[in-house]
Amino acid sequence: RSEWLDGGAGGAVCAELRTLGGIVEGRRPPEIEIERKFLLSGLPPHALTCSSEEIEQGWLPGKQLVERLRHVRSGEGDAWYRTVKSGQGIQRIEIEEATPRELFEALWPLTQGCRVQKRRYLVPEGTAIWELDQFLDRELVLAEIELPAAETRVEVPGWLAEYVVREVTEEPEYVNRALAR
């Protein structure tokens, strides 16, 4: 006991633990994505009046760690991202970061057979933005809206309401990875 406490070893260990504790406390918590998703019968004409972007997404092989690569083409240029998501339903963890084009291109071949292509229309409605995804390789249109909290009530705007078939937030077959080919 005297060697441990008086000899300084205990103090050094405690200092290391305090340092590690500070690192853990300072670590940013994972991002939480809260969204609701709706199956549409077609693309509402109102969406065509809004800005859009073309998106190519592919998933790297993996069972426990599911990583998505995304290439976005918009009027602002091209951007590349890596994303890890966890969970299902209305609230999930989503960690995304921009990635260099070179890294994206090196990893992209690994996504063969597990990709989607879509045109995303960004439709402002009040303080929210509806994202309408028109898939380019099949007849499918989905609408998503991100929410500040899981219990937030969603009012479907008039321009969208007549196109809503049903909500599919809790249906795993409408998750993009499940739609990938």
Side-chain angles (χ1 to χ4, degrees):
R1 178 178 175 168
S2 132
E3 286 179 17
W4 178 254
L5 295 176
D6 299 333
V13 169
C14 287
E16 286 295 319
L17 288 173
R18 278 192 294 278
T19 300
L20 288 172
I23 292 169
V24 170
E25 286 177 3
R27 189 176 72 198
R28 194 170 140 232
E31 296 292 329
I32 302 295
E33 175 187 59
I34 303 168
E35 69 180 14
R36 303 251 312 262
K37 187 181 288 196
F38 300 85
L39 175 64
L40 305 183
S41 60
L43 184 68
H46 179 63
L48 298 172
T49 67
C50 299
S51 65
S52 68
E53 53 194 22
E54 299 237 349
I55 298 174
E56 260 185 311
Q57 295 178 163
W59 286 263
L60 295 170
K63 293 186 192 281
Q64 291 184 8
L65 181 63
V66 178
E67 184 174 358
R68 177 186 73 199
L69 300 176
R70 176 187 277 184
H71 177 200
V72 179
R73 290 182 199 93
S74 69
E76 298 174 11
D78 289 77
W80 298 269
Y81 301 92
R82 291 175 44 217
T83 307
V84 175
K85 289 190 178 193
S86 179
Q88 59 186 14
I90 192 169
Q91 185 169 310
R92 300 176 293 173
I93 293 174
E94 177 183 67
I95 302 168
E96 182 172 78
E97 68 180 15
T99 193
R101 178 181 184 169
E102 296 77 21
L103 179 58
F104 176 91
E105 289 176 350
L107 295 172
W108 186 249
L110 298 173
T111 68
Q112 184 68 38
C114 199
R115 298 176 180 166
V116 297
Q117 286 187 292
K118 57 191 177 181
R119 181 172 293 111
R120 172 169 287 170
Y121 295 90
L122 305 169
V123 185
E125 183 66 36
T127 59
I129 295 182
W130 283 86
E131 297 177 346
L132 277 61
D133 289 343
Q134 178 182 38
F135 287 75
L136 302 176
D137 60 348
R138 69 196 89 182
E139 293 292 321
L140 178 63
V141 182
L142 297 171
E144 297 178 359
I145 186 164
E146 291 204 16
L147 305 170
E151 22 331 296
T152 302
R153 188 168 169 250
V154 174
E155 290 194 35
V156 177
W159 58 265
L160 181 60
E162 68 183 272
Y163 292 90
V164 173
V165 175
R166 69 177 185 275
E167 183 172 355
V168 295
T169 303
E170 300 291 339
E171 297 181 38
E173 58 270 25
Y174 288 100
V175 173
N176 280 299
R177 184 166 189 222
L179 296 168
R181 300 177 176 171

